[in-house]
Amino acid sequence: MKRILLIEDDVGAQLLYRNRLTDLGYQVVVSATGAMGLMEARSAPFDLFLVDIGLGTGIDGYEVCRRLKAIPEIHGVPVVLISGLVRAQEDLHRGYEVGCQSFLVKGDLMLLEDVVRAMLRIKSLQDDLAMQNRLLEERNRRSQVEKSPGAELDPSGSLGRDARLNRPDGVLLVDGEGLVCTGDRGARDLFGQETEGRHLALLAPDSRLEAIVRNARTEAGTSIRFEVSERAGRSARALFASVYPLRPQPDGAGTALRIVILFDATRQRHAAEGPCGDEELALRQRALLVEAAREVFRPAALLGSSATIRELRARVARAANTDQPVLVRGPSGSGKGFVARCLHFSGARPGPFVAVACGGSDVRELELELFGGGKGAQEPGERSGAFQLTSGGTLFLQDVERLPGRLQERVLETLVQRQVRRQDSTTVERVDVRLVAGTRIDLERAALQGEFSPKLARRLAAETLVLTALQDRAQDIDALAQHFLARYSRFEDARFSVDAAWVLGQYAWPDNVRELERTVQCACEAAQTSEIQLADLPQPFLDLHRAQPRRSSGAAPVQLRLHSSADAKVSLLDAYEKGALLHALSLTSGDKLAAARLLEVGKSTFYRKLKLHGIA
């Protein structure tokens, strides 16, 4: 999925652009100031930057653009400046001088889709060219290695860069306390002993590996070089390790898992090593990574205690063991992609999981991405499409309702005949793909209205899993926020203050679980102590807290739970219910009967709830 960074200080404009771009199938990250945007741009890869010229605080959009273009690793990412104040040629000239690729008029969505697609097409071409250059450099590097078969890897600081160009020598799956859950044969050979059930402090004594693993909570790619002492007749050796954290275990038991990828810094790479050994090692390492994914993406990872989520977990467990297409329906941000991965990794299909965004490209590019063809190939010959790459695995079509009509027919034909033909080719290839489709709409209704293929809708809807909006299952917020808090907080005893917990319960979560995760992540990054305060939350939550009546303070802090202690008598479900009542009354100007009708509850129930929450 293409990732777009929106640097915009106006809350209304943020919502407008984010919703529109999300509908188009893009992932949008929002920063409210230029400084925050620059930090975000450095922290993760993006395909496009949208920058408001008239940022209210700090540096303006022109300066943000200039600084983005000055960062070597991201200077090639297109920048589009947004402004309602471009009045003269000088303003445009200034924007192009600092390096922007295009302009958009603020609030005008007519050209947004076309401009974004054009910029992403430019970025895609740049990425293809960069990939070809990297492949050429890699061939040249390997050619030099073959000419010097006795050359060792550089044990200096460049080792990490060189090691990543080679296949790993071993892989470990480790819990957050440094205990090895499982390891492959390569890791056992490197350490000279069995690794499973052993602690890193014993495998690599007098090294910082254990500490690196414990501290790797959210940052991927943390690296360390260390020595393994002589053991059982084996000489000492230098190793290089990279640590990649996974999500915390979803049932709350134990600690988060980490993958430790190991490189031997001293063993010579001889040209005499046959490809069969390398292939076997790669298969073992892939099996270990798949095992880690199965730990993360299982039905129990669908957190919550509501009847809806309990039923969903049971249905995912049943559907995972079938090969029939599955339709996952739910609003934006509700976790359709996560459910698709649970279906794949909880089943027995040995192939890969591949996701394709149906709304992120034009028709021809999407057709190439799905079915393959000759355009855009990085190597001589035709480019493989998602159906070929996913054979034996699971293909997830995100926002399938945005699939163009011509491609709907091709997808249906592929499902029925289990074969695919690349674009501009006469060759037919057999494929074995399990299809999972995500949608935000009722496909059968769309088919009745002539907006979707009836045959494809019926085939997909044979097994339908429904994800409801987060505000309709507010009792699940506690478990989800707890999970995200454990994942993103830098502190072991992380907790929410009563004010922070209360306002999280009041919020409507229009972007569902995705917004909850993003909110907790931002709060953890802003927090200076182990307790998340109200001030650590994004601005909309502060505004909501000011708009709602305050309750008495002084309650005990929330200990690793979103609801407070028993003495505080505040729970998220109660807080959410009270917020819904107040919101309905505000929409009906205090008319209680109208508010009861709006909430679709009886009059007596409505008055009883008002009394329960102390609302006059």
Side-chain angles (χ1 to χ4, degrees):
M1 181 187 297
K2 301 295 185 181
R3 301 182 77 247
I4 299 175
L5 175 60
L6 172 65
I7 305 176
E8 170 64 71
D9 61 341
D10 183 83
V11 177
Q14 289 177 3
L15 184 63
L16 183 70
Y17 284 114
R18 185 175 66 186
N19 289 346
R20 180 56 177 157
L21 292 170
T22 301
D23 288 342
L24 292 173
Y26 306 120
Q27 180 181 351
V28 182
V29 176
V30 179
S31 293
T33 67
M36 292 173 60
L38 290 169
M39 292 178 59
E40 190 72 48
R42 289 178 178 271
S43 65
F46 289 94
D47 299 288
L48 178 64
F49 299 126
L50 299 178
V51 184
D52 181 17
I53 291 177
L55 297 173
T57 58
I59 57 177
D60 64 11
Y62 292 118
E63 180 62 17
V64 171
C65 179
R66 188 189 68 78
R67 296 190 187 184
L68 287 172
K69 292 300 181 180
I71 302 174
E73 58 268 26
I74 61 174
H75 76 276
V77 179
V79 178
V80 176
L81 293 178
I82 304 173
S83 177
L85 303 176
V86 176
R87 296 180 295 268
Q89 187 69 27
E90 290 75 13
D91 297 320
L92 296 174
H93 177 72
R94 183 182 176 190
Y96 291 123
E97 278 289 306
V98 296
C100 84
Q101 274 74 27
S102 184
F103 276 88
L104 281 173
V105 178
K106 192 167 186 176
D108 184 0
L109 299 181
M110 295 296 292
L111 291 178
L112 176 66
E113 182 173 352
D114 291 334
V115 170
V116 167
R117 282 185 173 173
M119 293 299 104
L120 291 176
R121 194 174 297 116
I122 292 173
K123 178 62 165 55
S124 179
L125 292 173
Q126 291 175 342
D127 290 344
D128 285 345
L129 179 60
M131 176 61 74
Q132 292 175 24
N133 289 335
R134 284 196 295 270
L135 290 171
L136 182 60
E137 291 173 359
E138 174 66 5
R139 291 195 194 97
N140 292 337
R141 188 194 64 79
R142 289 179 178 175
S143 177
Q144 293 299 321
V145 171
E146 290 173 359
K147 291 177 182 178
S148 304
E152 295 183 351
L153 290 175
D154 180 10
S156 65
S158 64
L159 175 62
R161 295 188 297 273
D162 291 337
R164 286 182 176 83
L165 296 175
N166 294 276
R167 183 166 289 157
D169 296 299
V171 181
L172 297 173
L173 183 62
V174 186
D175 69 15
E177 299 302 319
L179 188 68
V180 177
C181 302
T182 185
D184 68 348
R185 187 183 66 183
R188 184 171 65 249
D189 292 342
L190 291 175
F191 287 107
Q193 58 180 304
E194 289 291 339
T195 58
E196 188 167 336
R198 307 277 292 178
H199 200 277
L200 290 178
L202 298 177
L203 290 175
D206 302 322
S207 75
R208 295 186 299 110
L209 181 59
E210 177 194 359
I212 291 291
V213 168
R214 276 203 319 269
N215 295 331
R217 299 173 63 83
T218 60
E219 293 297 326
T222 305
S223 302
I224 179 177
R225 186 182 185 278
F226 61 98
E227 301 281 341
V228 175
S229 59
E230 182 178 349
R231 183 186 301 272
R234 298 171 64 91
S235 59
R237 61 182 62 196
L239 302 180
F240 182 87
S242 292
V243 182
Y244 296 86
L246 299 174
R247 295 172 182 264
Q249 294 183 20
D251 55 8
T255 54
L257 299 173
R258 279 80 159 157
I259 293 177
V260 181
I261 298 181
L262 301 164
F263 299 91
D264 188 344
T266 54
R267 185 171 59 189
Q268 294 181 350
R269 305 287 185 173
H270 293 292
E273 289 182 345
C276 294
D278 286 345
E279 184 176 348
E280 181 184 359
L281 179 61
L283 289 174
R284 289 179 178 271
Q285 290 164 350
R286 182 182 182 278
L288 184 60
L289 295 177
V290 170
E291 182 179 344
R294 292 190 190 281
E295 284 290 324
V296 175
F297 299 108
R298 29 182 196 133
L302 299 166
L303 300 177
S305 58
S306 66
T308 300
I309 208 70
R310 291 200 304 269
E311 180 184 358
L312 180 65
R313 282 196 292 263
R315 295 191 63 187
V316 167
R318 290 195 300 268
N321 296 313
T322 72
D323 287 332
Q324 296 302 313
V326 177
L327 182 67
V328 184
R329 189 175 76 230
S332 175
S334 57
K336 297 184 289 293
F338 192 87
V339 170
R341 286 167 173 83
C342 288
L343 288 166
H344 174 70
F345 288 106
S346 298
R349 297 187 68 84
F353 177 91
V354 175
V356 175
C358 296
S361 308
D362 59 32
V363 178
R364 181 168 177 80
E365 288 180 348
L366 183 57
E367 187 170 17
L368 282 169
E369 188 173 2
L370 286 172
F371 304 102
K375 178 183 176 182
Q378 296 168 359
E379 296 286 345
E382 290 190 335
R383 161 183 167 186
S384 294
F387 276 101
Q388 293 93 342
L389 296 173
T390 319
S391 190
T394 301
L395 175 60
F396 175 51
L397 297 183
Q398 178 185 341
D399 296 329
V400 70
E401 72 274 9
R402 298 181 60 82
L403 194 65
R406 175 163 61 89
L407 300 189
Q408 292 175 26
E409 298 302 324
R410 289 204 63 182
V411 168
L412 178 62
E413 178 184 352
T414 302
L415 291 177
V416 172
Q417 300 180 3
R418 292 187 174 273
Q419 60 185 26
V420 66
R421 179 179 53 81
R422 302 183 190 220
Q423 190 170 340
D424 303 324
S425 173
T426 58
T427 303
V428 174
E429 302 170 72
R430 296 290 300 176
V431 292
D432 175 23
V433 173
R434 199 271 181 87
L435 186 67
V436 179
T439 182
R440 285 170 286 179
I441 68 172
D442 186 335
L443 280 189
E444 293 182 330
R445 180 179 298 177
L448 291 175
Q449 297 172 350
E451 299 172 355
F452 197 82
S453 165
K455 292 183 179 179
L456 182 57
R458 285 195 298 271
R459 193 169 188 88
L460 294 178
E463 178 68 52
T464 302
L465 304 178
V466 179
L467 285 166
T468 57
L470 188 55
Q471 64 177 341
D472 295 332
R473 50 185 185 97
Q475 66 196 85
D476 295 337
I477 296 176
D478 180 49
L480 289 165
Q482 221 186 128
H483 171 68
F484 297 137
L485 183 65
R487 180 183 182 189
Y488 292 114
S489 178
R490 306 187 303 273
F491 304 97
E492 293 296 333
D493 58 339
R495 59 193 182 275
F496 289 88
S497 70
V498 173
D499 281 340
W502 181 80
V503 77
L504 287 174
Q506 295 278 45
Y507 192 64
W509 303 110
D511 206 22
N512 297 292
V513 178
R514 179 169 54 204
E515 187 175 10
L516 175 59
E517 179 178 8
R518 188 167 56 241
T519 298
V520 175
Q521 181 182 6
C522 291
C524 289
E525 292 172 352
Q528 300 301 312
T529 67
S530 58
E531 183 173 270
I532 303 295
Q533 302 293 332
L534 179 65
D536 298 326
L537 296 172
Q539 188 62 42
F541 295 87
L542 306 184
D543 296 339
L544 177 61
H545 188 266
R546 283 195 296 267
Q548 296 286 2
R550 298 192 180 202
R551 70 219 176 289
S552 60
S553 59
V558 182
Q559 297 292 332
L560 289 176
R561 303 292 296 178
L562 269 179
H563 55 73
S564 64
S565 65
D567 293 337
K569 298 187 184 302
V570 177
S571 73
L572 276 180
L573 189 57
D574 290 340
Y576 178 81
E577 188 173 73
K578 181 178 180 180
L581 294 170
L582 291 169
H583 185 58
L585 287 171
S586 67
L587 291 177
T588 58
S589 302
D591 188 331
K592 296 178 181 179
L593 292 179
R597 288 194 297 271
L598 182 64
L599 293 174
E600 297 182 352
V601 298
K603 180 177 67 174
S604 59
T605 300
F606 186 80
Y607 278 96
R608 179 168 53 83
K609 293 292 185 181
L610 291 180
K611 183 178 180 180
L612 176 65
H613 293 290
I615 302 175

